[in-house]
Amino acid sequence: MPDTNLMPGDIETKAVISGVTKRFGNKHVLNGVDLVLPKNKQTVLIGPAASGKTVLMKCIAGLHLPDAGSIRIDDQEITKLRGGEKAELVESFGILFQQGGLFDSLPVWENICFKLINRHHMDRDEARELAIEKLAMVNLPAGTADLYPVELSGGMQKRVGVARAIVGEPSLLLLDEPTAGLDPITTKAINHMISRNVETLGSTALCITSDMHAARTEYDYLYMLNEGKVVWAGPTAEIDSTNNEYLDQMINGHAQGPIKMRIMARA
């Protein structure tokens, strides 16, 4: 039974994930995950490598269909949606995965505003100006707008991906390591931008991070996964008052603890 201080009845929710399982072949990645995203709040998802974090986020984004369980977003069961209904809901999300997923054949500004141009028919000049505005928010100069992804460093590509996720005032932000590999100044700028979308635009955010300092300080709620299961959930303000061994090892980076013991047991 996971150590949890966060249940659907306690808060207004944007999304409720119940009993989600997912496997690929014989590999069980998610083993009955329960997770609540409080509305207009920032939730962080942490866990060791290969604990199922990215797979869970892709299930929430509608990119993977769970083998079992329920994913309700804005009171809609997304595992049952198909075609236009599913596309319409997912369009309201801002999504960033680790690989970035930029279109190599398009300049940066078109990458950022791709959905607004192609789905919502935004004027191209207006879209370019909006892209430049978002680039400034991730500490990239206006001239970056006319470059192509191949001309960018890995860190710059990550920042462009964040700018694309944040454009269009998304109702739900799903961000996989949005600040990984970035310098401290840009990291703070991106964390501030995420917070601003949540606070002023009414967005809800779920972020995966390996930055334990950010996990403590930048988010309202925290979930920890280990071996495809939630082992702790609750307000980040309660992190230091819990006796959960998994969370203590992860947050404080201890070499010894239950996570390492399980890895050793498999070896």
Side-chain angles (χ1 to χ4, degrees), residues 111-125:
N111 266 284
I112 292 173
C113 291
F114 182 84
K115 181 169 64 177
L116 296 179
I117 294 169
N118 291 278
R119 299 279 187 144
H120 302 286
H121 310 294
M122 176 178 276
D123 176 79
R124 292 176 65 83
D125 289 337

Side-chain angles (χ1 to χ4, degrees), residues 75-220:
D75 225 16
Q76 294 186 78
E77 178 58 56
I78 70 166
T79 62
K80 306 296 185 185
L81 296 179
R82 297 291 184 273
E85 284 184 317
K86 184 175 181 180
E88 184 178 353
L89 180 64
V90 173
E91 267 194 24
S92 69
F93 303 166
I95 302 173
L96 171 72
F97 291 112
Q98 290 184 46
Q99 296 82 1
L102 301 179
F103 299 111
D104 292 335
S105 61
L106 299 179
V108 163
W109 72 267
E110 286 195 59
N111 266 284
I112 292 173
C113 291
F114 182 84
K115 181 169 64 177
L116 296 179
I117 294 169
N118 291 278
R119 299 279 187 144
H120 302 286
H121 310 294
M122 176 178 276
D123 176 79
R124 292 176 65 83
D125 289 337
E126 182 183 349
R128 187 175 179 279
E129 289 304 312
L130 179 60
I132 290 172
E133 175 187 320
K134 297 303 179 184
L135 286 171
M137 294 174 70
V138 294
N139 284 347
L140 287 174
T144 308
D146 297 313
L147 299 178
Y148 285 81
V150 71
E151 300 177 271
L152 306 179
S153 68
M156 292 173 73
Q157 289 186 27
K158 173 61 72 74
R159 284 183 272 176
V160 170
V162 173
R164 181 174 65 180
I166 224 84
V167 79
E169 302 184 0
S171 67
L172 177 62
L173 285 170
L174 300 172
L175 307 175
D176 193 348
E177 297 283 6
T179 61
L182 302 181
D183 63 88
I185 294 173
T186 302
T187 293
K188 287 184 179 180
I190 288 175
N191 284 331
H192 175 73
M193 182 172 61
I194 295 169
S195 295
R196 194 177 87 171
N197 273 264
V198 170
E199 292 170 6
T200 66
L201 301 178
S203 300
T204 299
L206 174 64
C207 296
I208 297 171
T209 190
S210 54
D211 182 343
M212 293 301 102
H213 175 72
R216 282 178 173 275
T217 61
E218 301 292 339
Y219 299 92
D220 303 297

Side-chain angles (χ1 to χ4, degrees), residues 8-25:
D10 299 333
I11 50 179
E12 185 179 6
T13 60
K14 175 70 175 179
V16 178
I17 291 85
S18 304
V20 166
T21 66
K22 183 66 181 177
R23 71 178 184 179
F24 298 95

Side-chain angles (χ1 to χ4, degrees), residues 213-229:
H213 175 72
R216 282 178 173 275
T217 61
E218 301 292 339
Y219 299 92
D220 303 297
Y221 296 94
L222 181 144
Y223 278 83
M224 182 177 172
L225 285 185
N226 187 61
E227 297 189 343
K229 297 179 181 179

